[in-house]
């Protein structure tokens, strides 16, 4: 095995560990209070996979994780509430990222079903980001909306 293959194996192994930890964190957050530490942990997970994938030129993985990372950045900034529907979406994204890593590492082309799933997930992620951008134009709306969301999910 050459050096590049060893590094690629390390990427696959580390990504698998990171994605498993991400899943554990998201499942924990379904039934426990959301903390800044857990949000930062999720952000770092996505950020690390995106950065590692970019080293190898795995553009599908980079592009997908970039959108998820942007959403998690808005969660970190408290512009988006991490509630159960978003946790569910992020779990779906986690599964898709796992598939993307596997496909990229094995030099496989995405199948039509995976492409359709990716398009759907990106659309769902983008809808959160679009709503934040719309609300940020009127700063008075955002804090009220956050309070209402908090009281509904408590």
């Amino acid at each position: 095995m050459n050096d590049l293959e060893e590094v690629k194996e390390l990427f696959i192994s580390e990504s698998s560990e990171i994605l498993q930890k991400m899943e554990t964190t998201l499942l924990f957050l379904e039934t426990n209070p959301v903390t800044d530490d857990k949000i930062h942990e999720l952000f770092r997970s996505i950020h690390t996979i995106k950065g590692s994938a970019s080293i190898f030129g795995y553009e599908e993985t980079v592009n997908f994780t970039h959108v998820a990372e942007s959403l998690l950045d808005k969660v970190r900034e408290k512009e988006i509430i991490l509630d159960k529907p978003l946790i569910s979406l992020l779990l779906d994204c986690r599964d898709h990222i796992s598939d993307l890593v596997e496909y990229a590492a094995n030099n496989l082309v995405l199948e039509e079903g995976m492409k359709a799933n990716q398009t759907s997930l990106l659309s769902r992620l983008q809808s959160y980001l679009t709503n934040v951008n719309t609300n940020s134009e009127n700063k008075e709306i955002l804090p009220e909306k956050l309070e209402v969301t908090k009281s509904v999910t408590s």
Side-chain angles (χ1 to χ4, degrees):
M1 184 180 291
N2 65 36
D3 289 343
L4 183 59
E5 289 299 316
E6 286 180 30
V7 173
K8 191 184 281 189
E9 286 295 321
L10 183 61
F11 165 70
I12 296 166
S13 173
E14 286 185 354
S15 293
S16 179
E17 289 175 24
I18 289 168
L19 290 166
Q20 183 58 50
K21 186 169 181 157
M22 183 179 174
E23 179 178 28
T24 301
T25 299
L26 287 165
L27 293 173
F28 173 83
L29 290 172
E30 281 187 323
T31 57
N32 293 283
V34 175
T35 65
D36 287 346
D37 287 343
K38 294 293 184 189
I39 292 169
H40 293 303
E41 188 177 303
L42 292 171
F43 178 85
R44 282 190 307 273
S45 296
I46 294 289
H47 181 75
T48 300
I49 291 172
K50 182 184 91 170
S52 297
S54 71
I55 291 170
F56 292 102
Y58 298 152
E59 292 304 313
E60 291 283 350
T61 306
V62 172
N63 293 337
F64 184 82
T65 55
H66 176 73
V67 178
E69 179 187 45
S70 295
L71 185 135
L72 284 168
D73 190 42
K74 297 297 182 188
V75 172
R76 279 193 324 171
E77 294 172 7
K78 301 193 183 334
E79 293 180 34
I80 296 175
I81 296 293
L82 186 61
D83 57 9
K84 287 187 181 190
L86 182 52
I87 289 171
S88 178
L89 172 57
L90 290 171
L91 283 166
D92 291 344
C93 289
R94 176 254 172 248
D95 292 343
H96 185 68
I97 293 166
S98 179
D99 291 342
L100 287 172
V101 167
E102 181 182 331
Y103 270 67
N106 292 303
N107 298 317
L108 300 173
V109 177
L110 294 185
E111 299 168 0
E112 288 306 312
M114 275 188 70
K115 287 180 182 178
N117 184 48
Q118 179 165 300
T119 299
S120 172
L121 290 170
L122 286 170
S123 176
R124 292 167 60 197
L125 291 168
Q126 196 60 51
S127 71
Y128 277 92
L129 292 168
T130 300
N131 287 336
V132 167
N133 290 336
T134 301
N135 289 336
S136 66
E137 291 173 9
N138 184 349
K139 297 287 186 190
E140 296 300 316
I141 294 174
L142 188 59
E144 289 177 36
K145 187 169 186 173
L146 288 176
E147 285 302 303
V148 169
T149 306
K150 285 180 186 175
S151 66
V152 169
T153 59
S154 298

